[in-house]
Amino acid sequence: MSQNLLKTPIEYLKGVGPKLGALLKSELGIFNYEDLLHFFPHRYVDKSKYYKINELTSTSTEVQIIGKVTQFREVKQKRGSRLVVQFEDDSGTIELVWFKGIKWIKERLKINEPVVVSGKPSLFSRKLTISHPDIETLEKHRAQKLSPLQPVYPLTEKLTSRNINQKYYKKLFVNLFTQLKDTRFEEVFSEAITKQFKLLTKKEALFNLHFPKDINKLNQAQYTLKFEELFYLQLAMLVKKLVRMHKYKSYPFENVGDYFNQFYKEQLPFELTKAQKRVLKEIRNDLGRPVQMNRLLQGDVGSGKTIVALMAVLIALDNGFQATLMAPTEILAIQHFNSIKELVEPLGVNIKLLTGSTTKKNRTVLHEELENGSLHILVGTHAIIEDKVLFKNLGLVIIDEQHRFGVAQRAKVYKKNVFPPHVLVMTATPIPRTLAMSLYGDLDVSVIDELPAGRKSIKTVHKRDANRLGVFGFIREEIKKGRQVYIVYPLIQESEKLDFKDLMDGYESISRSFPLPEYKISIVHGKMKPADKDFEMNRFVKGETQIMVATTVIEVGVNVPNASVMVIESAERFGLSQLHQLRGRVGRGAEQSYCILMTKDQLSDDGKLRIETLCKTNDGFEIAEVDLKLRGPGDIMGTQQSGILNLKMADIAKDTKIMEYARYAAQKLLEEDPNFTKEENKNIRIKFEELQRSKLSWSRIS
Ligand code: ADP
Ligand code: MG
């Protein structure tokens, strides 16, 4: 019966009724008591804290100030009028403004009477102002015995226009909890889990969210609800992974043989880093099992992913299988092909390149060798995916720069053998750990978190337009030393025309500052034909030009070790991870490299933080964490499908620890009770099935 009470339609709650009930439904999706219980405050105001006027800024949240009104006047405007009130304390003065209810306020304002004003300061005609604050006499304010933490709930314009405000919400929750006083709430977790992870009971957690006793209890309540939410997210991921393990059989590579061993002893041009060794071990483990490997290899630019991938390829060869490596662009494919060929040809390995520009004649030979098995490694672009490309016995697929390949394309690769081949996806876009845990919970993730020894870290500096002459001088010096330079312009869809003009203007001024015949310049942008682009890019790769002016098309993978300077124009307009990617184009040779971030004079707070972060660190994971905090998970690939964006309480960027606890709990549960058959896990099963169902129908709709 208790559960039924929670399903009571919202209009039956004291203080609601049919009219407001309809509004709560349409505006907030609150249909019954349970929905209201789960309508969470978006923040809390600390009612024990009072601000001084000189502490306020336009970014302050809700504040309380004690002071007095010194004068007020009504100002006529086009429509109606506004009431402007001078308010002061012993630190300064601020204006309070009302646009509505002026008559009512005016009647109650008393000059020089001590009052408490609460509201949110903002800039109005360049002056710090609080509009429509709550105002009450100090006497009355002190008479109320409020908990120091007051919840603030979301409001919409429509609700406000119907006089729904924080006081009304408060009344609703008082009525709701009075109604539910004797109701027992179903606990989700077994006593063991509740105890081990120090969770509150469901009822205590929900109560304290709406009526926090103190900050401690509030923290515990939030922790409990976040834990629950993340638990189901992790459970879903882990179940998906289990399903995959049963579903996708593949070929076990049982031997590590001559190709691998000979390469390791005779060809490996350097000692592997610790991280590379660890990752290689993880991959070997996967490949040895009769289950498809589905592994994401993350590693910052230059961390040496390719060599690890190559060694996995050699294991495939040792077991009589073929392997293929796909890159997102022709230039990258060619670079991979050349460097890998050099390393494996001494072993007697047959390796070939397949791209859109492979001639028909070469293709014929290639297809034949691929089908009779005499071709061991195929490197190439999307061309590899085409149905007519058939392998005799494909065992391993390496995909470089994962985000350029779609899911559908990857699925095609799976069909290239009777069982799907093992898959290793490499990406240089670091994804923070928490996010990886939820995005790729069903994928295994390896991380190379260490650069090869002796790498000089790139020096990053911030320069403003006024320093341009100095920057150009620096570029000349580097070119004199024989180095090459990138100058990159943003190209962002919304103002593509303007951006393009910036690029062309920039190109012109660079051409004037770096004249022929001493300096030669390449230019590459998205409006060029692919063939022209490749031509220009190749001139730079071969060292025939010293400066490459480009849009972000150069972001992915190009390797020109001789390039030592990366100048990024309008750097404030790029996202953090994109800036980091661009910077990774330099620092690939033995020379000291530089990244120069050019910006306009005035930067937004976010812009400043991005630039400072980049100047401070070269660590892609650290940068990714900041990026996640700044942008939220919404902009990161894959988040749409993961359910992360539907989280109500937890914040993927901040709740790292809770996520780890939740994952651990979910893992343990699946080990001990994989089908949730134990009585104590009954409620987990019910809720989990409910969630899976709602997710299913949701994905069918979209
Ligand atoms: P990325 O991870 O960006 O794909 P690469 O695989 O292209 O990086 O490696 C970058 C460079 O570092 C290559 O020239 C590679 O030969 C070199 N390299 C890789 N591993 C090591 C190592 N352990 N020691 C020294 N150099 C290495
Ligand atoms: Mg690479």
Side-chain angles (χ1 to χ4, degrees):
M1 86 139 239
S2 58
Q3 287 299 304
N4 287 345
L5 191 55
L6 286 176
K7 299 287 181 207
T8 311
I10 194 68
E11 55 266 33
Y12 293 121
L13 183 66
K14 197 175 141 203
V16 182
K19 262 197 192 148
L20 285 179
L23 203 59
L24 291 177
K25 283 176 201 172
S26 65
E27 287 294 285
L28 301 172
I30 298 174
F31 288 85
N32 56 33
Y33 288 8
E34 189 172 16
D35 294 337
L36 183 59
L37 266 180
H38 290 89
F39 174 57
F40 296 145
H42 55 161
R43 58 197 175 82
Y44 295 83
V45 187
D46 183 354
K47 286 281 175 185
S48 65
K49 173 143 180 74
Y50 298 91
Y51 285 80
K52 292 285 179 196
I53 287 172
N54 67 0
E55 293 174 324
L56 304 182
T57 68
S58 59
T59 56
S60 304
T61 50
E62 191 104 351
V63 297
Q64 298 185 107
I65 328 161
I66 302 174
K68 60 193 185 190
V69 171
T70 52
Q71 52 169 303
F72 54 86
R73 67 200 145 91
E74 207 171 327
V75 182
K76 290 267 174 272
Q77 8 182 83
K78 255 190 219 138
R79 253 178 267 145
S81 56
R82 67 174 192 271
L83 181 66
V84 180
V85 174
Q86 294 294 324
F87 180 75
E88 69 167 50
D89 66 5
D90 54 17
S91 78
T93 64
I94 188 170
E95 277 183 3
L96 313 177
V97 183
W98 279 266
F99 300 94
K100 280 187 204 150
I102 293 179
K103 186 159 166 280
W104 195 86
I105 296 287
K106 253 166 70 178
E107 280 165 11
R108 280 158 186 82
L109 282 178
K110 289 206 188 85
I111 301 288
N112 285 335
E113 180 186 42
V115 289
V116 178
V117 159
S118 49
K120 188 187 161 350
S122 56
L123 283 179
F124 182 71
S125 307
R126 298 231 192 99
K127 253 195 257 168
L128 205 56
T129 307
I130 304 182
S131 57
H132 287 248
D134 276 344
I135 182 164
E136 59 189 354
T137 64
L138 187 58
E139 196 180 354
K140 203 171 152 206
H141 181 80
R142 293 218 160 121
Q144 309 167 349
K145 289 213 177 53
L146 284 176
S147 155
L149 283 171
Q150 288 299 309
V152 181
Y153 297 89
L155 277 166
T156 66
E157 212 166 301
K158 201 158 174 193
L159 290 169
T160 313
S161 75
R162 305 279 186 91
N163 290 328
I164 290 183
N165 54 19
Q166 298 299 332
K167 273 185 193 141
Y168 173 77
Y169 281 140
K170 178 149 203 104
K171 208 171 71 194
L172 281 192
F173 281 104
V174 169
N175 295 343
L176 178 65
F177 277 97
T178 312
Q179 280 272 299
L180 297 176
K181 199 162 53 108
D182 301 318
T183 307
R184 206 175 58 83
F185 287 21
E186 291 274 8
E187 291 303 327
V188 183
F189 295 115
S190 66
E191 259 185 61
I193 292 182
T194 306
K195 221 164 137 192
Q196 185 183 3
F197 293 96
K198 301 196 169 64
L199 306 174
L200 298 182
T201 63
K202 194 78 197 246
K203 193 167 186 178
E204 199 181 3
L206 284 170
F207 182 79
N208 273 286
L209 211 66
H210 297 292
F211 298 98
K213 206 173 114 218
D214 52 39
I215 188 76
N216 255 338
K217 263 280 175 322
L218 176 61
N219 286 340
Q220 278 177 299
Q222 287 174 329
Y223 161 77
T224 301
L225 294 166
K226 285 174 180 180
F227 180 93
E228 185 184 329
E229 200 169 44
L230 294 173
F231 175 85
Y232 286 112
L233 185 69
Q234 290 302 322
L235 197 61
M237 287 296 157
L238 292 169
V239 167
K240 220 162 117 187
K241 183 168 163 179
L242 279 178
V243 169
R244 176 169 60 79
M245 303 258 281
H246 290 294
K247 206 161 103 189
Y248 294 118
K249 288 203 182 359
S250 190
Y251 309 97
F253 299 167
E254 277 152 2
N255 313 311
V256 170
D258 288 347
Y259 283 127
F260 185 94
N261 287 327
Q262 197 190 339
F263 178 81
Y264 201 87
K265 278 191 215 117
E266 293 165 20
Q267 289 297 315
L268 192 59
F270 35 66
E271 167 104 11
L272 292 181
T273 62
K274 264 202 227 93
Q276 283 172 319
K277 283 182 188 160
R278 178 182 31 123
V279 167
L280 194 57
K281 214 180 205 172
E282 289 165 357
I283 294 172
R284 266 171 72 167
N285 245 332
D286 283 3
L287 295 178
R289 292 181 303 162
V291 176
Q292 186 200 24
M293 171 172 80
N294 208 0
R295 191 169 275 280
L296 179 73
L297 173 51
Q298 287 196 57
D300 226 334
V301 273
S303 61
K305 296 184 289 291
T306 317
I307 203 89
V308 171
L310 173 59
M311 292 173 79
V313 165
L314 294 177
I315 298 178
L317 267 49
D318 274 337
N319 288 273
F321 287 88
Q322 294 164 301
T324 184
L325 189 155
M326 294 200 296
T329 66
E330 177 155 17
I331 291 191
L332 265 178
I334 293 171
Q335 281 189 352
H336 274 313
F337 174 71
N338 288 332
S339 59
I340 294 175
K341 185 173 158 166
E342 198 181 324
L343 289 167
V344 300
E345 256 186 358
L347 306 172
V349 168
N350 183 10
I351 175 171
K352 287 218 155 79
L353 176 73
L354 176 63
T355 71
S357 8
T358 305
T359 60
K360 210 165 166 207
K361 201 172 121 211
N362 285 342
R363 246 182 193 267
T364 313
V365 179
L366 188 146
H367 279 289
E368 205 180 293
E369 290 185 1
L370 213 51
E371 284 165 42
N372 70 26
S374 62
L375 181 55
H376 302 111
I377 305 176
L378 181 63
V379 177
T381 56
H382 293 75
I384 291 178
I385 303 174
E386 289 169 23
D387 292 332
K388 62 182 179 219
V389 180
L390 301 171
F391 292 79
K392 175 158 189 243
N393 196 12
L394 181 64
L396 174 64
V397 179
I398 314 274
I399 303 177
D400 197 13
E401 301 297 350
Q402 147 249 2
H403 53 291
R404 307 279 158 141
F405 287 101
V407 176
Q409 290 170 320
R410 249 182 284 165
K412 277 189 124 173
V413 173
Y414 284 21
K415 303 214 176 85
K416 297 229 177 247
N417 205 342
V418 181
F419 290 142
H422 297 289
V423 176
L424 181 69
V425 173
M426 304 196 284
T427 174
T429 312
I431 295 158
R433 215 181 121 63
T434 37
L435 200 58
M437 267 200 284
S438 349
L439 280 182
Y440 307 120
D442 68 321
L443 241 163
D444 295 301
V445 181
S446 286
V447 180
I448 303 184
D449 48 7
E450 175 187 9
L451 291 182
R455 210 46 80 70
K456 287 202 181 80
S457 82
I458 302 163
K459 285 194 178 133
T460 303
V461 291
H462 175 204
K463 296 282 174 192
R464 295 172 200 273
D465 279 333
N467 307 118
R468 187 168 295 279
L469 280 181
V471 172
F472 279 7
F474 178 74
I475 292 176
R476 282 194 197 94
E477 277 171 36
E478 284 292 301
I479 292 178
K480 211 180 274 164
K481 288 192 220 156
R483 307 285 116 71
Q484 288 166 285
V485 177
Y486 292 103
I487 303 179
V488 179
Y489 287 80
L491 196 69
I492 293 161
Q493 274 96 7
E494 62 199 66
S495 55
E496 210 173 327
K497 264 203 188 130
L498 258 177
D499 283 340
F500 191 67
K501 188 175 174 306
D502 281 356
L503 172 75
M504 284 312 172
D505 289 353
Y507 176 63
E508 224 169 74
S509 108
I510 291 161
S511 305
R512 260 183 273 116
S513 306
F514 298 90
L516 284 165
E518 199 181 346
Y519 301 100
K520 294 187 196 69
I521 306 176
S522 286
I523 179 164
V524 171
H525 57 78
K527 292 196 174 168
M528 289 163 77
K529 288 202 199 91
D532 295 343
K533 235 194 296 194
D534 284 358
F535 176 78
E536 283 291 307
M537 208 85 119
N538 271 323
R539 288 210 310 153
F540 188 68
V541 171
K542 287 188 205 142
E544 291 168 11
T545 57
Q546 297 104 352
I547 300 177
M548 160 68 80
V549 176
T551 54
T552 46
V553 284
I554 60 149
E555 191 189 328
V556 171
V558 187
N559 190 17
V560 183
N562 189 46
S564 67
V565 182
M566 166 65 66
V567 180
I568 304 177
E569 297 284 346
S570 303
E572 75 275 8
R573 293 177 53 199
F574 289 91
L576 253 181
S577 58
Q578 205 181 12
L579 287 169
H580 180 61
Q581 289 289 315
L582 284 169
R583 176 167 64 180
R585 297 302 104 216
V586 296
R588 307 190 139 227
E591 310 303 332
Q592 176 63 55
S593 289
Y594 304 88
C595 175
I596 302 173
L597 304 171
M598 303 291 298
T599 72
K600 58 182 183 184
D601 289 339
Q602 291 290 324
L603 293 181
S604 68
D605 289 349
D606 273 16
K608 220 182 276 167
L609 181 59
R610 287 200 299 267
I611 303 290
E612 277 168 11
T613 305
L614 245 347
C615 291
K616 202 178 69 193
T617 180
N618 274 305
D619 180 341
F621 283 94
E622 198 178 327
I623 289 165
E625 297 278 354
V626 177
D627 199 28
L628 179 60
K629 278 179 189 145
L630 278 177
R631 293 194 305 170
D635 286 327
I636 296 174
M637 286 294 294
T639 44
Q640 247 70 21
Q641 298 90 30
S642 68
I644 288 174
L645 298 182
N646 307 331
L647 294 175
K648 280 183 76 179
M649 282 293 289
D651 179 336
I652 216 85
K654 295 184 187 130
D655 299 319
T656 325
K657 264 267 137 351
I658 309 179
M659 172 90 94
E660 280 171 16
Y661 294 154
R663 184 178 181 82
Y664 175 77
Q667 228 154 10
K668 215 168 128 215
L669 180 85
L670 281 177
E671 276 162 26
E672 290 168 5
D673 187 15
N675 297 312
F676 315 115
T677 40
K678 288 187 186 160
E679 178 60 23
E680 71 211 45
N681 297 325
K682 191 184 79 187
N683 284 341
I684 293 182
R685 191 191 68 227
I686 293 171
K687 177 87 184 283
F688 184 64
E689 284 172 355
E690 202 177 290
L691 284 174
Q692 296 293 88
R693 261 200 309 278
S694 67
K695 217 161 134 190
L696 255 170
S697 56
W698 178 81
S699 65
R700 267 197 220 111
I701 296 164
S702 63

